Amino acid sequence: QHSEGAVSDPVVPSTGAADAEWEARFEALRQLADTNAASAREQAQAALEELLGQQRLALEARFSWLVGHCYVLLAKKVEAAVALHRAVSIAQAIGRIDLEAHHLTTLGVAQAMMSAYSEAIECYERALGLHKGLPPSADNDLILAKVQCNFGATYSFMGLPEKALPLYQQASDLFMGLGRARDGTACLGNCAVVHMDRAERLSRQPSADERVQAAAAASEARALAERVVADPSMGPEDGASIIARLTLVRAHIVLGDCAAATEELNQIDHHLTSDARRSRFRAERSTLRARLLRLTGRTSEAITELQTELQDDLVAFARVEVIEELITTQEAAGDLAGALASFRRYHELTL
């Protein structure tokens, strides 16, 4: 599932001699990344090419980070790691400990996305060690908050919710204390996703006790997601807000309220007004729509929805999620041959 801790608005470290024009350009692209990461990446790459030979290495480090940040949002893991390694190396070479610590926190996410969890944890531990050598300031505390949030995201990727939740909560509290309401609320949204993942796992178990636990976890996820959606610091097209709405759909499904889930899913469509937003969330939206169709007895429509989605160019993890739902739906429809063929595709992707 999506984790907004990995993509929330980043800390902007001090840049010394960077002039106002470059600073404004960086900030504009940083904000654009949340709504159109592909365009922001392209423009940040162009800025890097302009900087070559100018000996403005702090700016090179920051724009390299921005390119990597955009690749993370686009789920292009290898490209993200390459750009972020460059950003870290430049910061290290010029002795900018604040930039190095900041860039390591995003490199950790890229490593986690590639399932290189030991390397991800090493990035966070290095960032925490560097942070200890920085003077107290609001900017440097923001670096700590981001380390905590992204550390939580990595534990979430690893399937360790008991370790992810405290880190998300610590990050949320620190963001809130620093006046970063949007980031603090996004961390609560990440907590909702963790509770929802647990709810779905428990709901697939046979015992009545586990189904009761699933309902409790789904209720907790729903309450947190509702807080995120209602928060005034969140715009309707904010990535964290859309993830929270998707979490609400999932919670309603586990709680057996397909009507509420369908209504919420239809509301999401109104907030996906840009091609970039639709592209980022289309796989999960289609998967949830197909799940609702299956649960209401419309399995043939659900299969068509999923097969249509698979015809598009999806990133690997999204393709896996769609195929998982397709297997379940084909089995429910009695199409065992189709389910077996889908499982073979799933197996090829997850080798």
Side-chain angles (χ1 to χ4, degrees):
Q1 302 297 334
H2 296 282
S3 180
E4 191 66 11
V7 298
S8 61
D9 288 345
V11 176
V12 181
S14 58
T15 57
D19 61 38
E21 182 179 344
W22 277 106
E23 192 66 38
R25 189 172 175 182
F26 178 88
E27 181 62 20
L29 292 178
R30 183 186 70 81
Q31 294 183 26
L32 176 63
D34 187 55
T35 56
N36 193 336
S39 177
R41 199 280 314 165
E42 185 177 341
Q43 294 180 60
Q45 188 67 54
L48 270 177
E49 292 170 6
E50 290 180 43
L51 285 167
L52 290 177
Q54 292 191 29
Q55 296 302 308
R56 305 179 81 168
L57 295 179
L59 274 173
E60 275 195 46
R62 294 177 71 203
F63 275 96
S64 294
W65 169 83
L66 185 54
V67 169
H69 172 66
C70 291
Y71 276 131
V72 167
L73 292 174
L74 294 166
K76 294 188 174 183
K77 301 170 281 189
V78 175
E79 294 91 336
V82 170
L84 292 165
H85 272 296
R86 179 187 179 193
V88 170
S89 296
I90 295 172
Q92 190 173 39
I94 62 175
R96 284 294 299 270
I97 295 174
D98 55 343
L99 291 176
E100 185 183 355
H102 174 261
H103 300 345
L104 279 166
T105 68
T106 311
L107 177 58
V109 174
Q111 299 282 18
M113 291 171 67
M114 295 188 288
S115 300
Y117 299 125
S118 295
E119 291 85 348
I121 290 171
E122 182 183 348
C123 285
Y124 303 135
E125 289 177 342
R126 283 176 60 192
L128 288 171
L130 291 168
H131 179 266
K132 290 179 181 177
L134 294 171
S137 72
D139 281 350
N140 292 336
D141 283 345
L142 282 171
I143 294 173
L144 176 59
K146 189 177 180 186
V147 172
Q148 292 172 334
C149 191
N150 289 0
F151 216 148
T154 296
Y155 279 133
S156 182
F157 293 152
M158 294 171 69
L160 297 171
E162 70 282 357
K163 291 189 174 182
L165 287 170
L167 284 164
Y168 279 148
Q169 188 61 61
Q170 290 170 32
S172 179
D173 292 344
L174 186 49
F175 277 131
M176 292 293 190
L178 292 166
R180 300 277 292 225
R182 185 267 169 206
D183 290 316
T185 302
C187 287
L188 295 181
N190 292 340
C191 290
V193 171
V194 172
H195 285 297
M196 198 61 244
D197 289 345
R198 179 171 180 267
E200 288 177 341
R201 285 195 299 270
L202 288 167
S203 70
R204 291 189 287 267
Q205 302 305 312
S207 78
D209 181 60
E210 285 168 320
R211 288 196 295 273
V212 169
Q213 293 179 49
S219 296
E220 181 69 21
R222 181 176 61 184
L224 287 168
E226 286 173 342
R227 285 179 60 185
V228 175
V229 170
D231 194 291
S233 69
M234 289 287 174
E237 283 202 29
D238 192 298
S241 179
I242 294 171
I243 290 169
R245 289 184 180 278
L246 289 166
T247 303
L248 281 174
V249 175
R250 296 167 63 198
H252 289 316
I253 290 173
V254 169
L255 293 169
D257 192 345
C258 289
T262 301
E263 182 179 353
E264 187 64 53
L265 192 59
N266 290 337
Q267 287 294 318
I268 290 172
D269 290 341
H270 299 311
H271 300 297
L272 300 179
T273 57
S274 69
D275 289 341
R277 272 286 175 260
R278 283 189 290 272
S279 176
R280 180 177 171 190
F281 294 108
R282 71 187 187 204
E284 187 167 2
R285 182 182 52 164
S286 290
T287 299
L288 290 172
R289 181 176 288 112
R291 189 175 304 169
L292 285 165
L293 289 169
R294 170 174 58 83
L295 291 171
T296 53
R298 298 157 65 184
T299 53
S300 61
E301 293 176 61
I303 290 170
T304 299
E305 173 88 25
L306 294 165
Q307 289 177 334
T308 300
E309 188 63 31
L310 287 171
Q311 292 173 10
D312 289 329
D313 182 23
L314 299 175
V315 295
F317 77 86
R319 188 169 293 275
V320 167
E321 288 182 3
V322 174
I323 293 175
E324 284 177 334
E325 187 65 31
L326 179 59
I327 293 168
T328 300
T329 306
Q330 288 170 322
E331 289 175 342
D335 181 9
L336 299 184
L340 181 59
S342 296
F343 181 77
R344 291 194 185 101
R345 296 170 72 184
Y346 173 85
H347 184 66
E348 291 170 358
L349 284 170
T350 54
L351 282 176

